[in-house]
Structure formats: C-alpha cells, structure tokens
Amino acid sequence: MNLTNKIALVTGAASGIGMEIAKEFLAHGACVAIADRDLDHARLAATMLDPGGSRSLSVGMDVSNEDQVEAGVDQVARHFGAIDILVSNAGIQIVGPLEEFKFSDWKTLLAVHLDGAFLTTRACLKYMYPVGSGSIIYMGSVHSKEASVLKAPYVTAKHGLEGLAKVVAKEGAAHGVRANVICPGFVRTPLVDKQIPEQARELGISEDDVIKKVMLKDTVDGEFTTIEDVARCAVFLASFPSNALTGQSIVVSHGWFMQ
C-alpha cells in the first residue's frame, strides 16, 4: 500500500482515530493536512507526527461551518498543490433518550457528522474532478448498520453517511473519484470514554457493565477495536487502485456486526 506523494486531508485529526490515520498516511508516504476545530491541538499533532514540518499542515476547521471548510480546503490545495484523499472523520457524541433529546443537540450532532461530510466533500471535489482521481473516506460506525439506545441522532447521521458515499461513488465515477465508508465498532477514544459514565447513569448500571454488556457484548472476543485497526483500513481504501472498490462500507468491529 503506497501513498507516496499523495495529498490527504483528515478532519478531526488532532486526536484519536483521525490522528492515527494521519500518522499511518505519513508512514506510507503521503503529505497530510491535519484539520481540527482546535487549531492549537492540530498544530501540536502536526509537530508530533511530522517534526520537520515538510509533509504536514495544520488547519483550523469547524466542519459544520461552510466558510471555514471552503477556506481550509483551499489552504490545503494552495500549500500542497492538490488534494487526493479526504477522510471525513470529525465527529461528536451526545447521548440521551429520544423523548428528552434537545432539538438543539440533535441539530448540532447532525451538523458535524452530515453537514461536515457534505461540505468537505463538495470543497474537495472541485480539486479532484479536474485531475480525474480521488478517494473519499467517511468515518461511519457499526451504527451505520444498526441501532443502539440513547443514540438517535448519531445512528441517524451514521446511516446517512452510507447514503452520501453511494451517491458520491456514482457521481464521482466518471471523474475517477471513489467513496467508501469505514464502520468501526467501539474504539477506546476520549469520545467513547465520555459515553461510558453517561450510559451508566442513563441505564442505571455500572460502567463495567456498560463496557461488557452494552458496548462489547456482541463482539467475538470482548475486545475494543483499536485506532490502529481503523487507520490500516483507511490506508487500504485510500490506496486501492480502481473503481472496483467504491460505494462500499467496511466494518471493523471484532465481529460485532457481520455483513
């Protein structure tokens, strides 16, 4: 898997899965724009992953803000001369029962996951289409396939990413652009660590039971998916050489969901 001289934009890349994907892309020869709502953290991540600074760029970007997305993508294209890969990874989580869920929280979560995916895709396509190539990777979830309690907007958003990827795959095919979705199981990131006590309170069970009886109960081995697992999958999708693999989703979940 070779990404030498490819230019990748990874959103939500200052920590967690996004940062690990940026690390793997750099290890496979790519130049990487590390985009995050927190520019200071993006800069720290870029310095850590690419101390020389020759193959990385930190970009401040709220993916739900159209002006910031357009400006950030243009900045990446000016700096590196192209955008070959987009990883739409930025995400947030808000949990709660549907009958009590605030509409403002619903809109906030969908804005980050769905509006962010749309806005970054649209901005990157204007650089991919003219050169006849590109790979777009959306960070879905096992929740792109099935539901869990307390996660109505998250499940809705992750299902929506599969639909978006399929449309981009069909429209992008004539321009050499592929689109696919990675669907991880539970990955022990700060986002998941925040959910554990929240779900324990909502469900009236212990944090240990949230992990064993809710999050990992349907895996084949009771193990969390790792950020390394997800990053390797991203490299595979980004480097795949043809339209044979487009409009698809790959589940990385220790067997939680099998398709």
Side-chain angles (χ1 to χ4, degrees), residues 185-186 211-213 215-226 229 252-258:
F186 281 103
I211 294 171
K212 293 180 179 179
K213 297 180 180 180
M215 291 183 168
L216 303 180
K217 70 181 180 65
D218 291 323
T219 64
V220 297
D221 54 10
E223 296 291 336
F224 281 100
T225 302
T226 69
D229 295 330
V252 186
S253 70
H254 286 254
W256 169 13
F257 181 88
M258 300 184 185

Side-chain angles (χ1 to χ4, degrees), residues 36-91:
D36 201 273
R37 183 170 54 184
D38 188 325
L39 179 57
D40 289 338
H41 279 94
R43 286 171 173 157
L44 287 172
T47 299
M48 184 185 306
L49 297 177
D50 179 36
S54 62
R55 292 199 293 125
S56 67
L57 174 70
S58 52
V59 181
M61 184 188 295
D62 176 350
V63 296
S64 66
N65 183 299
E66 183 177 10
D67 291 339
Q68 288 191 30
V69 170
E70 291 289 336
V73 169
D74 288 345
Q75 178 187 353
V76 175
R78 284 195 307 269
H79 183 84
F80 288 120
I83 298 178
D84 302 299
I85 302 159
L86 165 65
V87 181
S88 177
N89 168 75

Side-chain angles (χ1 to χ4, degrees), residues 140-147 159 183-186 251-253 256-257:
S141 166
V142 168
H143 289 111
S144 299
K145 306 291 186 180
E146 61 179 45
H159 272 68
C183 298
F186 281 103
V251 181
V252 186
S253 70
W256 169 13
F257 181 88

Side-chain angles (χ1 to χ4, degrees), residues 2 26 35 78 81 92 99-100 106 126 129 151 167 179 241 245:
N2 188 358
L26 286 163
R78 284 195 307 269
I92 60 171
E99 72 274 14
E100 299 173 5
W106 172 277
K126 70 182 181 183
Y129 277 6
K151 296 185 177 182
V167 174
L245 184 54

Side-chain angles (χ1 to χ4, degrees), residues 68-123:
Q68 288 191 30
V69 170
E70 291 289 336
V73 169
D74 288 345
Q75 178 187 353
V76 175
R78 284 195 307 269
H79 183 84
F80 288 120
I83 298 178
D84 302 299
I85 302 159
L86 165 65
V87 181
S88 177
N89 168 75
I92 60 171
Q93 178 63 284
I94 306 170
V95 300
L98 188 57
E99 72 274 14
E100 299 173 5
F101 215 91
K102 294 179 182 178
F103 186 37
S104 58
D105 287 342
W106 172 277
K107 290 190 289 185
T108 296
L109 193 147
L110 263 63
V112 173
H113 288 270
L114 287 180
D115 294 354
F118 161 71
L119 290 171
T120 52
T121 296
R122 187 184 64 178

Side-chain angles (χ1 to χ4, degrees), residues 170-226:
K170 285 185 175 290
E171 292 189 6
H175 307 278
V177 173
R178 298 179 297 108
N180 294 287
V181 186
I182 299 175
C183 298
F186 281 103
V187 181
R188 199 69 186 264
T189 63
L191 193 66
V192 167
D193 281 335
K194 178 175 176 288
Q195 291 178 56
I196 294 169
E198 290 175 342
Q199 290 200 41
R201 287 193 300 271
E202 291 286 352
L203 297 171
I205 61 178
S206 69
E207 293 186 14
D208 190 53
D209 279 346
V210 169
I211 294 171
K212 293 180 179 179
K213 297 180 180 180
V214 177
M215 291 183 168
L216 303 180
K217 70 181 180 65
D218 291 323
T219 64
V220 297
D221 54 10
E223 296 291 336
F224 281 100
T225 302
T226 69

